[in-house]
Amino acid sequence: MLKQIEGSLGVAEAVALCRPEIICAYPISPQTHIVENLGAMVKKGTLQDCEFINVESEFAAMSVAIGGSVAGGRAYTATASQGLLYMAEAVYNASGLGLPIVMTVASRAIGAPINIWNDHSDSLSQRDCGWIQLFAEDNQEAVDLHIQAFKIAEELSLPVMVCMDGFVLTHAFERMDIPSQEQVDQFLPPYDPRQSLDPENPVSIGAMVGPEAFTEVRYLAHAHHLQAFAAIQKASDEFREIVGRKSGGLIDLYRPEDAEVMVIAMGSVIGTIKDVIDEMRADGKKIGLLSVKSYRPFPAAEVADALKGVKTAVVIDRALQVGIGGVVTDDVIRATRKMSDLDICGVIAGLGGRAITKHSLHQIFDMALKKDLPELYFLDLDKKVVEDQLKHEQEERHSGPMAEAIVKAVADLHKGEL
């Protein structure tokens, strides 16, 4: 059914169609509207046979999801930013125990300094936690990926994060096609967990594992992620057969034919990049786009294959490894380490919600075509503001709060422009 609704409500309706039995949540922007809507559905009875549990923290939310999943229930939660960090210990436990929990991460910057706007710092901080991570380009894909996530999670007995850009998607009103309950039931079978606690057949779940077996347990987690490549693509293909549209999968290519420069990106910036590529193609510039849909497991083989014959890869990274560079850039480098004729440029962009404009993208893509783009580039960075602060810190031991000084310097700069 076509609806013009907020992204958060679309996701809530998609989750409800999957018939969860346990929803536990602690509110944190920009995730709040998702769980608010699910709570309202449970209260009204439109979502039946589901217990909505209000908890005292994000750590408790994931702990309750773990308990519900171990008890044999289909479990869901959602979080963002500091909330994801607060539940980190339990996030690792969920994957280590092989529990098919689905969680929305409404991606948002991590403080300090405090910032509630969108980037990928939170979700990518957990890239090694053992969860599958799927990234949505728009709200339609966010709806579709949540439905696919339950199937992938339950087939592999692994937890799945669906990462959607906070505010940019969660609070945006778009036209979405919400599948029918019959379509979702046809796609997603009744919950049949691989493991659960049963008083009639008592087992231990989560026992201590010593050095003699821990490597094998961790390798098993790695093997499950290798199996996930096929499961993610299979879920996408089956969803397309039943619902009638392509969504999800491992990667997606846009205008890759004869591309000299290939842009690699995840999330909502993809729409803007597509517009820029169309404009540049109209001017005869050979540029294409590779959208990463599954970040974990990372589709290295598919990425390497898509970059054959490309001269330069430009990775748009919305999270920074301080002192090294972009997060996704490292994955692309690893995937293409045998391709000696490929230049890889990492572009740090959109941190803390800074706009990634078509004008700025045009500039860096032109730089890449001319081989002028450096290995690491910070989009729209005002270096003078930073250099002035570094000089001040060298000259004055008690230089005061760093972030506040930068904010004041930027504000003064903008006053000068006015």
Side-chain angles (χ1 to χ4, degrees):
M1 178 184 294
L2 290 175
K3 296 183 177 182
Q4 183 81 12
I5 54 176
E6 186 192 51
S8 292
L9 177 55
V11 168
E13 291 193 8
V15 171
L17 289 170
C18 295
R19 304 186 186 276
E21 296 164 289
I22 305 103
I23 298 174
C24 40
Y26 188 83
I28 178 171
S29 286
Q31 153 265 39
T32 313
H33 291 178
I34 300 172
V35 292
E36 280 181 350
N37 281 297
L38 284 166
M41 292 179 199
V42 173
K43 184 176 181 179
K44 292 176 183 177
T46 54
L47 175 54
Q48 298 180 346
D49 301 320
C50 178
E51 185 171 0
F52 188 97
I53 303 172
N54 291 309
V55 292
E56 72 278 9
S57 70
E58 290 88 356
F59 179 85
M62 182 52 63
S63 298
V64 170
I66 288 172
S69 184
V70 166
R74 182 174 279 165
Y76 169 82
T77 188
T79 192
S81 187
Q82 318 294 130
L84 181 59
L85 298 190
Y86 193 30
M87 66 166 64
E89 178 184 349
V91 167
Y92 273 77
N93 285 340
S95 58
L97 296 174
L99 300 175
I101 299 164
V102 171
M103 175 167 65
T104 307
V105 176
S107 293
R108 180 189 128 186
I110 292 173
I114 297 170
N115 182 294
I116 66 167
W117 291 272
N118 167 248
D119 64 26
H120 291 164
S121 301
D122 52 2
S123 49
L124 296 190
S125 77
Q126 301 302 304
R127 61 190 178 275
D128 300 324
C129 71
W131 284 57
I132 292 171
Q133 292 186 333
L134 308 176
F135 276 76
E137 173 181 346
D138 53 28
N139 280 330
Q140 182 64 72
E141 191 163 53
V143 165
D144 298 346
L145 286 179
H146 278 84
I147 298 168
Q148 294 177 38
F150 280 99
K151 185 159 191 172
I152 295 165
E154 291 164 18
E155 179 176 331
L156 298 168
S157 201
L158 280 178
V160 178
M161 289 183 201
V162 179
C163 307
M164 61 186 298
D165 288 351
F167 296 111
V168 180
L169 296 184
T170 57
H171 287 57
F173 282 75
E174 297 179 14
R175 190 178 77 161
M176 285 165 267
D177 182 8
I178 308 298
S180 67
Q181 186 66 69
E182 292 74 20
Q183 287 174 315
V184 175
D185 288 345
Q186 182 182 353
F187 173 77
L188 180 65
Y191 186 46
D192 182 21
R194 289 176 180 254
Q195 57 174 340
S196 63
L197 294 175
D198 181 358
E200 301 300 321
N201 183 28
V203 295
S204 293
I205 296 178
M208 180 175 286
V209 175
E212 72 285 349
F214 197 75
T215 297
E216 285 73 18
V217 171
R218 297 308 298 158
Y219 184 81
L220 181 62
H222 177 66
H224 286 156
H225 266 246
L226 296 181
Q227 293 175 346
F229 289 119
I232 292 168
Q233 192 58 55
K234 179 183 175 185
S236 175
D237 294 342
E238 291 181 358
F239 186 87
R240 184 176 188 175
E241 290 177 7
I242 293 171
V243 179
R245 62 175 168 269
K246 182 179 183 294
S247 189
L250 299 172
I251 66 169
D252 192 34
L253 295 173
Y254 185 74
R255 306 197 72 169
E257 63 279 0
D258 70 7
E260 295 178 2
V261 170
M262 188 74 78
V263 183
I264 301 170
M266 304 190 303
S268 60
V269 72
I270 289 170
T272 307
I273 294 172
K274 286 179 177 178
D275 289 343
V276 173
I277 288 175
D278 287 342
E279 292 169 4
M280 296 184 75
R281 281 283 184 175
D283 291 335
K285 297 174 181 178
K286 298 178 180 180
I287 185 166
L289 171 66
L290 189 163
S291 306
V292 177
K293 304 296 184 180
S294 166
Y295 177 67
R296 284 291 183 269
F298 189 78
E302 287 77 10
V303 168
D305 187 62
L307 293 176
K308 288 179 180 176
V310 173
K311 295 179 180 179
T312 304
V314 178
V315 186
I316 306 297
D317 249 308
R318 295 164 71 187
L320 172 65
Q321 298 176 98
V322 176
I324 299 177
V327 178
V328 182
T329 303
D330 277 1
D331 293 280
V332 174
I333 291 171
R334 186 176 296 110
T336 59
R337 62 191 181 278
K338 296 181 180 179
M339 299 170 64
S340 58
D341 56 344
L342 176 68
D343 289 331
I344 299 174
C345 303
V347 176
I348 308 299
L351 298 185
R354 177 171 289 188
I356 303 175
T357 65
K358 290 171 63 176
H359 174 74
S360 295
L361 291 175
H362 268 286
Q363 287 185 325
I364 60 169
F365 297 163
D366 276 327
M367 290 168 66
L369 286 164
K370 297 174 184 176
K371 294 287 187 178
D372 290 336
L373 188 63
E375 187 176 314
L376 178 61
Y377 186 82
F378 286 77
L379 189 68
D380 297 333
L381 172 69
D382 192 326
K383 283 190 177 180
K384 186 178 184 305
V385 169
V386 179
E387 289 168 355
D388 288 348
Q389 174 63 18
L390 290 172
K391 182 180 178 182
H392 177 60
E393 290 173 7
Q394 290 175 345
E395 295 173 347
E396 176 60 52
R397 172 66 180 173
H398 301 288
S399 54
M402 294 177 290
E404 285 74 3
I406 292 290
V407 170
K408 182 178 184 303
V410 172
D412 290 343
L413 184 66
H414 288 169
K415 283 180 184 177
E417 292 174 352
L418 295 174

